[in-house]
Structure formats: C-alpha cells, structure tokens
C-alpha cells in the first residue's frame, strides 16, 4: 500500500499525531533519499527537515542528499533503493526543473517507498500546481505546472492561508474546477495511504470553486 505525506512547514517539530503515524508507516529504515529544492546550493542540505525526523525518533542507516553533486545515474539508483523519499522545501521551480532534468519523477511514482514532501516538495508531489504572482512567484502571467502526480489533486502548501482565504479561493478557482486543491499553512499534513486521505492540522479543500475547512481525521 503506497503512502504519501504532503507536509506544510514546522516551526518546531512534528505534532505528536504526525510523529506517531510516521513511526507506524516507516518500518523500513535502511536509507532515505532527500531531494534538494536548491540543487546547485550545496549548503542547503535538508538539516531542518532531518531534525524533524530525528526528533520523532525516525533514523536511517544511510542518508543521501540528491543535488547536482550527485550524477544523474547515481541519483536514480539512490531513488530506486530508498526506503523513504523526502522532497525538501525551498524553491519549487528549481526542484521541478531538477526532477525533470534528472528523470526522477517516474522513478518516484513507481517506488514502493514512503514519499514525503515539505512545502515546495509537497507541491511538486501533486499532480498540478499553480505558479502565480499572488503566491510570491516572480512571474507576470499565471501558469499551471505538472508535478510528479503521486495523487490526483493539487497542493498549495506553506502559504499564509488564514489571512488570504479570498485571494486563494479566487486564484485557485479555475484549477479547482478541474482538480481538487488541498491548501494548508504550517504545522499540518495530508497523509494518503491507499485510498484513504487523512488530515492533520489546518487544511482547506477547494473544489469546484468552493472552499471549506476540513476536519482533522486523526
């Protein structure tokens, strides 16, 4: 049963509920492949995201950071052999470009590993996402990008949602007519396990131009 975690950002650490779920789901801890969102910035090593896992008591025998220092074939091998794949937060566009350039998306999609993404990483895990000036992108015209497509929905993660509900609903209205959009801010997660979708923290669903706050399921 495939398991995917779409995370927001955590100011401190994972909530007790999220930590418990990850402990249950991540049973194979041989290796974790962490995919950079700033692959040419080698100091960006995922230390924050790793600290969340450490605090939750989830450690691995091997840690692999995938960026431009790693050759394409080696990166693909690390993805194939990973127990957990973690798409790191940061630059959504750079990570999206890197996934395509290194041919990683299909490997991640077919992997039986637990796949996690934080902020930018969560957005790139989704089927599609909106690149809009309203969301802080330096673009004049909004456009929709394809993500890995682990699940058939879109994600807006780590955005100041509560203070911008009307803006978010307006921007995502058109996309939500085509595909459901899950929007969240900090300290939250969406877990997809098989056919079940679990909600942890403040998560909103935008569907057919309507927005609603979802109840936590766990």
């Amino acid at each position: 049963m495939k398991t995917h975690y779409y995370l927001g950002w955590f100011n401190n650490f994972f909530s007790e509920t999220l930590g418990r779920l990850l402990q249950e789901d991540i049973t194979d801890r041989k290796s974790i492949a962490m995919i950079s969102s700033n692959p040419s910035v080698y100091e960006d090593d995922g230390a924050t995201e790793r600290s969340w896992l450490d605090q939750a008591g989830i450690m691995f025998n091997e840690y692999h950071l995938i960026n431009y220092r790693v050759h394409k074939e080696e990166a693909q091998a690390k993805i194939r052999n990973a127990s957990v794949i973690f798409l790191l937060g940061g630059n959504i566009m750079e990570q999206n470009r890197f996934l395509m350039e290194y041919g990683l998306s299909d490997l991640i999609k077919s992997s039986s590993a637990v796949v996690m993404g934080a902020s930018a990483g969560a957005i790139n895990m989704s089927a599609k996402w909106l690149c809009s000036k309203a969301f802080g992108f330096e673009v004049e015209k909004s456009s929709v990008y394809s993500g890995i497509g682990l699940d058939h929905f879109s994600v807006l993660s780590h955005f100041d949602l509560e203070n911008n509900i009307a803006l978010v609903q307006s921007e995502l209205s058109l996309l939500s007519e085509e595909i459901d959009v899950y929007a969240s801010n900090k300290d939250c997660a969406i877990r997809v396990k098989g056919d079940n979708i679990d909600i942890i923290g403040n998560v909103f669903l935008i569907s057919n131009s309507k927005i609603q706050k979802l109840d936590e399921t766990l």
Side-chain angles (χ1 to χ4, degrees):
M1 186 183 300
K2 293 196 174 184
T3 306
H4 308 143
Y5 280 87
Y6 298 81
L7 308 175
W9 196 256
F10 297 84
N11 287 331
N12 296 304
F13 297 112
F14 291 148
S15 68
E16 188 176 328
T17 300
L18 180 55
R20 175 175 54 77
L21 291 172
L22 288 165
Q23 282 279 6
E24 292 171 6
D25 289 337
I26 301 174
T27 52
D28 179 358
R29 301 184 186 178
K30 291 189 188 74
S31 73
I32 182 170
M34 301 184 296
I35 303 173
S36 176
S37 67
N38 296 294
S40 57
V41 181
Y42 301 142
E43 298 78 25
D44 197 343
D45 59 359
T48 299
E49 291 93 330
R50 180 170 169 173
S51 74
W52 301 338
L53 292 167
D54 289 349
Q55 197 273 339
I58 302 168
M59 280 87 164
F60 297 86
N61 295 338
E62 297 176 8
Y63 291 82
H64 301 289
L65 177 65
I66 297 177
N67 57 23
Y68 283 125
R69 271 188 173 155
V70 181
H71 292 297
K72 181 177 177 179
E73 293 73 19
E74 185 184 352
Q76 292 179 349
K78 290 186 189 308
I79 292 292
R80 286 192 190 95
N81 297 325
S83 313
V84 170
I85 299 166
F86 199 158
L87 288 92
L88 303 177
N91 191 315
I92 306 168
M93 302 284 286
E94 285 295 322
Q95 188 177 61
N96 190 272
R97 193 176 299 119
F98 183 62
L99 289 166
M100 287 191 292
E101 187 180 335
Y102 265 48
L104 301 180
S105 292
D106 286 344
L107 292 176
I108 296 169
K109 203 168 181 177
S110 62
S111 175
S112 58
V114 173
V115 184
M116 308 169 61
S119 191
I123 293 169
N124 274 320
M125 282 168 58
S126 65
K128 296 179 178 182
W129 53 274
L130 180 68
C131 176
S132 165
K133 192 173 185 177
F135 297 151
F137 292 97
E138 293 181 0
V139 292
E140 290 304 317
K141 186 180 177 184
S142 295
S143 54
V144 175
Y145 280 74
S146 294
I148 296 168
L150 293 177
D151 299 287
H152 189 64
F153 54 69
S154 179
V155 168
L156 172 66
S157 178
H158 189 198
F159 186 73
D160 184 14
L161 191 67
E162 290 82 355
N163 296 316
N164 295 284
I165 289 285
L167 169 71
V168 167
Q169 185 175 2
S170 171
E171 284 292 308
L172 293 171
S173 178
L174 189 61
L175 182 59
S176 78
E177 296 286 340
E178 177 190 346
I179 190 171
D180 284 347
V181 183
Y182 289 89
S184 64
N185 193 359
K186 298 178 180 177
D187 302 318
C188 59
I190 301 161
R191 177 178 77 158
V192 180
K193 190 168 185 177
D195 294 327
N196 292 327
I197 297 179
D198 289 311
I199 303 298
I200 303 146
N202 293 326
V203 179
F204 291 75
L205 172 64
I206 307 159
S207 183
N208 295 314
S209 299
K210 296 183 175 67
I211 189 165
Q212 61 171 318
K213 188 174 186 298
L214 298 175
D215 293 331
E216 289 196 73
T217 58
L218 297 163

